[in-house]
Amino acid sequence: AQLRISACLIAKNEAENIARWLDNVSSFADEIIVVDTGSQDETCAVVERRLGKCYHCCWQNDFAAAKNEALGKATGEWVVFTDADEWFVSPHSVRGYLAFLQENNSSANAVLVPLENIDIDNNSNVLDRASVVRVFRNNIGLRYTGAVHEQLTLNGKDDAGIVYHHADAALQLQHTGYSARYIQAKLQRNLCLLQEEMCKAASVEKYYYFLAETYFAL
């Protein structure tokens, strides 16, 4: 059977990245879902020209809520959920990789892909590398939680039961969002969201790592 892939994105003021993102996911996606959270630039216009439809949701200072809005519209067996400033180095490898995975590792329900953070303000130098979940099975109860540094959870509990597959360089992503021109504003935003969430949380320990990381980077 033909594998069906949904590419999802939440976006705000991503006019400089959105066309590249659309080109990238068009290589493998059967369905492309963009949820705009309040752009004041050309983001929506570009999406509407290309896809005919741009969804909107009210920004509530909560990345998980916005992502779940997009996820609720996805009909594919697999979801590829990247950021507007992330792209696959070999987008044409994605479909074949997932088809192979589905046939040979049927228990895997989420994929950790290798990601390089590159600084476009410094000769595209690699700042660091990480493994991040950007691909997962749809319709099995996976949803995001967390206003910032959102994580996948299964059936509303935690990540117990999520079976991760570590992808190789075929699914290599590059990300420009930590480049010099963006990083301070992004860190300040994350700090505000973290502090807001900690005020509401019954237990704050799980936020300490992200808080320390943010302060260190600032």
Side-chain angles (χ1 to χ4, degrees):
Q2 171 80 342
L3 185 73
R4 189 167 159 76
I5 301 171
S6 300
C8 294
L9 173 72
I10 60 167
K12 184 177 183 181
N13 296 333
E14 290 290 357
E16 66 176 302
N17 294 313
I18 192 70
R20 180 185 61 198
W21 183 88
L22 288 165
D23 289 343
N24 196 253
V25 300
S26 295
S27 307
F28 57 79
D30 301 288
E31 171 181 66
I32 302 175
I33 294 157
V34 177
V35 172
D36 188 83
T37 62
S39 292
Q40 293 165 323
D41 63 5
E42 287 293 295
T43 302
C44 295
V46 175
V47 172
E48 280 164 5
R49 265 201 309 276
R50 293 279 293 269
L51 303 180
K53 175 93 179 136
C54 183
Y55 296 98
H56 299 270
C57 89
C58 187
W59 177 243
Q60 301 158 9
N61 282 352
D62 189 327
F63 279 96
K67 284 191 167 184
N68 288 335
E69 183 89 11
L71 204 46
K73 302 178 191 307
T75 62
E77 298 148 82
W78 287 88
V79 171
V80 175
F81 213 132
T82 48
D83 291 344
D85 52 9
E86 294 175 345
W87 66 93
F88 288 96
V89 176
S90 308
H92 297 288
S93 305
V94 175
R95 176 172 291 278
Y97 196 97
L98 288 183
F100 180 82
L101 183 63
Q102 188 152 297
E103 241 168 67
N104 295 278
N105 186 356
S106 56
S107 64
N109 48 27
V111 182
L112 285 156
V113 301
L115 176 138
E116 288 181 334
N117 286 305
I118 61 172
D119 188 348
I120 50 174
D121 297 314
N122 186 16
N123 301 322
S124 290
N125 280 354
V126 175
L127 296 165
D128 60 17
R129 294 180 172 86
S131 281
V132 293
V133 181
R134 293 292 185 270
V135 182
F136 51 91
R137 287 181 193 268
N138 197 14
N139 301 319
I140 60 164
L142 287 170
R143 284 288 179 273
Y144 288 98
T145 184
V148 64
H149 298 298
E150 61 286 353
Q151 310 283 315
L152 279 177
T153 57
L154 188 58
N155 298 321
K157 299 189 182 75
D158 47 26
D159 66 348
I162 301 181
V163 181
Y164 296 100
H165 169 83
H166 284 264
D168 60 24
L171 296 193
Q172 177 76 57
L173 274 179
Q174 289 192 323
H175 173 233
T176 57
Y178 293 148
S179 296
R181 73 183 78 167
Y182 308 122
I183 188 66
Q184 288 298 315
K186 192 171 277 191
L187 289 165
Q188 290 289 356
R189 177 204 69 194
N190 287 357
L191 183 61
C192 290
L193 291 176
L194 272 170
Q195 289 171 330
E196 205 173 286
E197 188 152 281
M198 287 172 80
C199 286
K200 295 184 284 193
S203 162
V204 295
E205 284 76 10
K206 67 178 181 179
Y207 301 105
Y208 288 166
Y209 171 79
F210 294 123
L211 194 63
E213 188 183 52
T214 305
Y215 276 128
F216 180 74
L218 281 166

